[in-house]
Amino acid sequence: MIEKMVREEINAILSEHIETIKEIVASSLLPQLRAAIQAEIQNTLGNLLEQNPKHEKSDNRKPEPRDPQSANRNPKSEIGLYLYGIADGDHERTFGNMGLEANEVYTIPFGNLSAIVHNCTAEPYQSDDQDIVKAWVLTHQKVVDAAGEEFGTIIPMGFDTIICGKGDQDPKKNMQQWIEDDYDNLTLKMAKIRDKAEYGVQIFWETNTMAHQISKESVEINRLREEIKTKPKGIAYMFRQKLEELLKNEMANKADQCFQEFYEEIRDYADDLRVEKTKKTDDEGLQMLLNLSCLLPKDQSEKLGEVLEKIDGRVGFSVRYTGPWPPYSFV
């Protein structure tokens, strides 16, 4: 009878708070539960294969790894280290529970460097919910920023960089082995970016404004336009097509000239530059002319900003200047 009363009471509580329970499960418990289940499945399968080696002979096909890292994993390993970056210094430090899914972030020193990590399962962070993924990426960036403020310089790692165990080595020893093997390279990169930051520079031009300006300045376009006035309608149509092609070529040449001019001006204020792909804009009348990632000392950012202000003040041009960011493009 007591058991029946308890069940009825539990059912009543569940019915009354069902929506709240769903939200808690979806936002907090489900991602962790999924990761735990995946890890347990791998562990169970590994044990079964060890206990029953004949299963390997029953099927000649080898299972494909779930991701590039899985080929080096210990099938029994359920733990990993999520790596945010390598910091310039050897301090033992904890940043509290600010990591992905509120994991504790801490440092593992090695030599004059420190890895910024949190403990995790040895599986990538994956979700079909884009809002969850965006939250993860933002949290990753916040940790990198906090580590940068603490240590001054940090080599940032991309989102979802996870160190797993390898052979008899646990994830911590595997990571320390990697740092030791790549220590000279990491030290050189650290020297390159020390006290510097990445800045984004995007320069746009208004296509209609530039087309009008080029049409006024081009001797060839003006000559052809006057010639069209003297032609019969049918022939004039062909000449207008020729005029459009000529204007298109003139604009392409002008774009190349402006690119080279702006690149040279910006290069004087940056230690290093990377030319990125231009992107389409939401405004059909606006075209991205130049897209640069710039590495420069933080105290030089204002001087570069002054140069960009002059470009932004030119008729038909506009500039987007962002940063400082961790130097992802240069490490």
Side-chain angles (χ1 to χ4, degrees):
M1 182 182 296
I2 294 175
E3 181 179 355
K4 181 179 179 182
M5 292 173 62
V6 171
R7 287 180 179 175
E8 289 176 352
E9 182 65 21
I10 291 174
N11 289 334
I13 294 173
L14 288 173
S15 299
E16 184 178 351
H17 300 284
I18 188 65
E19 294 302 324
T20 302
I21 293 172
K22 285 181 179 179
E23 292 178 3
I24 294 172
V25 171
S27 62
S28 300
L29 299 181
L30 192 57
Q32 297 180 25
L33 181 60
R34 183 183 292 113
I37 290 173
Q38 291 173 346
E40 186 59 29
I41 289 173
Q42 275 197 321
N43 187 39
T44 302
L45 287 175
N47 289 335
L48 285 173
L49 288 174
E50 285 186 353
Q51 294 170 10
N52 300 281
K54 64 181 181 180
H55 289 178
E56 294 181 355
K57 298 178 182 179
S58 65
D59 189 349
N60 292 326
R61 295 172 300 172
K62 292 184 179 180
E64 293 189 6
R66 293 183 54 193
D67 62 79
Q69 291 180 328
S70 63
N72 294 326
R73 289 183 185 167
N74 183 340
K76 291 185 176 181
S77 177
E78 294 183 14
I79 60 171
L81 289 173
Y82 185 99
L83 181 59
Y84 293 92
I86 304 295
D88 186 17
D90 58 354
H91 313 309
E92 288 190 2
R93 170 82 159 84
T94 178
F95 292 87
N97 298 331
M98 68 178 300
L100 273 65
E101 298 181 348
N103 279 288
E104 182 185 9
V105 178
Y106 63 97
T107 65
I108 299 178
F110 186 89
N112 293 321
L113 305 174
S114 293
I116 314 297
V117 302
H118 79 242
N119 298 335
C120 65
T121 57
E123 296 291 335
Y125 283 83
Q126 295 177 339
S127 175
D128 294 330
D129 189 329
Q130 292 303 305
D131 289 335
I132 291 177
V133 175
K134 288 178 182 178
W136 285 339
V137 173
L138 287 173
T139 300
H140 176 99
Q141 185 58 48
K142 287 179 181 178
V143 173
V144 172
D145 290 341
E149 291 179 6
E150 173 73 18
F151 288 90
T153 305
I154 181 171
I155 298 174
M157 297 293 166
F159 170 73
D160 226 0
T161 301
I162 296 176
I163 306 297
C164 305
K166 184 177 181 181
D168 296 331
Q169 289 186 331
D170 62 23
K172 179 178 179 181
K173 292 206 168 166
N174 191 24
M175 185 191 64
Q176 289 176 327
Q177 185 64 55
W178 164 65
I179 295 177
E180 182 178 0
D181 292 343
D182 208 35
Y183 193 83
D184 290 343
N185 182 39
L186 290 170
T187 303
L188 287 173
K189 287 182 178 180
M190 195 69 74
K192 176 181 179 180
I193 65 174
R194 186 173 287 119
D195 299 325
K196 298 170 188 172
E198 179 173 331
Y199 295 83
V201 175
Q202 296 175 338
I203 300 179
F204 307 82
W205 72 357
E206 300 168 7
T207 51
N208 291 337
T209 300
M210 298 310 300
H212 179 70
Q213 181 178 330
I214 290 171
S215 295
K216 286 175 58 178
E217 296 174 352
S218 173
V219 175
E220 184 65 19
I221 288 178
N222 285 313
R223 184 195 64 77
L224 189 57
R225 184 181 287 120
E226 291 299 321
E227 188 174 352
I228 289 174
K229 295 178 182 178
T230 66
K231 301 296 181 183
K233 186 176 292 186
I235 297 178
Y237 173 77
M238 296 175 61
F239 270 75
R240 278 194 291 272
Q241 286 185 313
K242 184 178 179 182
L243 180 63
E244 290 177 4
E245 187 66 23
L246 179 60
L247 178 59
K248 182 180 177 180
N249 292 336
E250 291 275 8
M251 288 192 69
N253 292 334
K254 184 67 174 179
D256 289 341
Q257 293 174 10
C258 291
F259 177 97
Q260 192 62 37
E261 177 187 348
F262 298 151
Y263 181 89
E264 295 293 337
E265 291 182 14
I266 294 169
R267 186 175 63 178
D268 292 340
Y269 295 88
D271 286 7
D272 198 0
L273 291 177
R274 281 181 59 93
V275 178
E276 312 290 356
K277 290 183 179 180
T278 55
K279 305 173 184 177
K280 289 186 178 181
T281 66
D282 295 332
D283 186 347
E284 293 183 358
L286 205 62
Q287 179 183 0
M288 185 182 294
L289 193 65
L290 183 69
N291 186 15
L292 295 177
S293 295
C294 309
L295 181 69
L296 60 145
K298 296 176 182 179
D299 57 7
Q300 293 289 323
S301 61
E302 289 187 8
K303 293 182 179 180
L304 176 57
E306 292 173 0
V307 172
L308 297 176
E309 280 184 10
K310 293 180 181 179
I311 296 174
D312 189 66
R314 293 172 57 166
V315 175
F317 292 92
S318 58
V319 175
R320 181 184 297 155
Y321 184 33
T322 60
W325 307 109
Y328 286 100
S329 301
F330 300 93
V331 297

